[in-house]
Amino acid sequence: MTPKVHLTPLSKLRVSRHQIPSYALLPNTSIQQKPLLIYHTAFSTNTSASAIEAHLASTGVVTPQWRYSMYTTTHFHSTTHEVLCISSGKALLCFGGEHNEGRVEPVVQKGDVVVVPAGVGHRLLEDREGGFEMVGSYPKGCNWDMCYGNEGEEDKVKGIGGLGWFERDPVYGDQGPALDV
């Protein structure tokens, strides 16, 4: 039996949108101009990781692939966008590179969702409560890679411009913040 998921209604959902300038060899949102999106408390805080995974799979947009924290080294993906659903704890994250004046450093917590466009550098700065965990998902059929903003990754970065965006919202389906960008 699929666990019941309670989503914040779209009319009450608070969403943060961030355009992050390129920095050093981190392209951030400069290639596709799709913003980093944070859905604040999209899932009720009593939603389990299993229920989040089942819900994401039911939208048919993304495939949940892992449960983990976030790497403490800045990295990005050149082959896919990423959907991170916070399933446990609270953490301070960094998007865009820790020395980038245009970086974003949100505190995220259980129930939040972060839609990370391909090319946006991200890392964990601080696990605020211990046990910080996310469900990591990617658009169906996409495989993620690891890039670090190093010399030699330029050809991978060029591929970001050809990636499609979401045709349906990964959390809400036919409507939702990912469609309003």
Side-chain angles (χ1 to χ4, degrees):
M1 185 167 145
T2 303
K4 181 71 175 147
V5 171
H6 296 283
L7 292 175
T8 297
L10 281 171
S11 62
K12 295 183 179 177
L13 181 66
R14 187 170 68 87
V15 179
S16 299
R17 292 171 174 81
H18 304 278
Q19 292 289 350
I20 304 171
S22 62
Y23 175 78
L25 296 176
L26 299 173
N28 294 318
T29 62
S30 68
I31 295 175
Q32 287 197 337
Q33 296 301 312
K34 299 296 185 190
L36 174 80
L37 298 168
I38 303 172
Y39 304 7
H40 301 275
T41 319
F43 291 97
S44 66
T45 55
N46 63 354
T47 306
S48 69
S50 295
I52 291 170
E53 289 168 340
H55 176 76
L56 292 172
S58 77
T59 67
V61 178
V62 294
T63 302
Q65 294 190 12
W66 51 262
R67 293 182 195 174
Y68 189 66
S69 181
M70 183 181 280
Y71 294 123
T72 56
T73 300
T74 297
H75 65 285
F76 66 91
H77 310 292
S78 69
T79 55
T80 185
H81 309 296
E82 185 171 37
V83 178
L84 304 172
C85 299
I86 313 327
S87 55
S88 179
K90 178 189 271 189
L92 175 64
L93 306 179
C94 180
F95 295 94
E98 55 267 27
H99 301 294
N100 183 351
E101 288 183 16
R103 73 187 176 277
V104 176
E105 293 185 354
V107 173
V108 296
Q109 59 192 355
K110 185 173 182 169
D112 291 348
V113 174
V114 184
V115 177
V116 186
V120 173
H122 51 286
R123 70 170 283 219
L124 173 71
L125 291 176
E126 179 185 1
D127 181 340
R128 292 268 169 105
E129 299 175 341
F132 177 70
E133 182 184 79
M134 305 176 295
V135 171
S137 301
Y138 305 90
K140 285 189 168 283
C142 292
N143 295 310
W144 53 276
D145 67 347
M146 293 292 284
C147 298
Y148 300 94
N150 295 330
E151 300 260 342
E153 295 174 342
E154 294 85 1
D155 285 342
K156 289 182 173 187
V157 168
K158 288 178 188 172
I160 293 171
L163 294 175
W165 188 244
F166 298 98
E167 293 183 16
R168 297 179 71 233
D169 189 272
V171 176
Y172 287 89
D174 291 332
Q175 297 179 343
L179 304 178
D180 299 333
V181 297

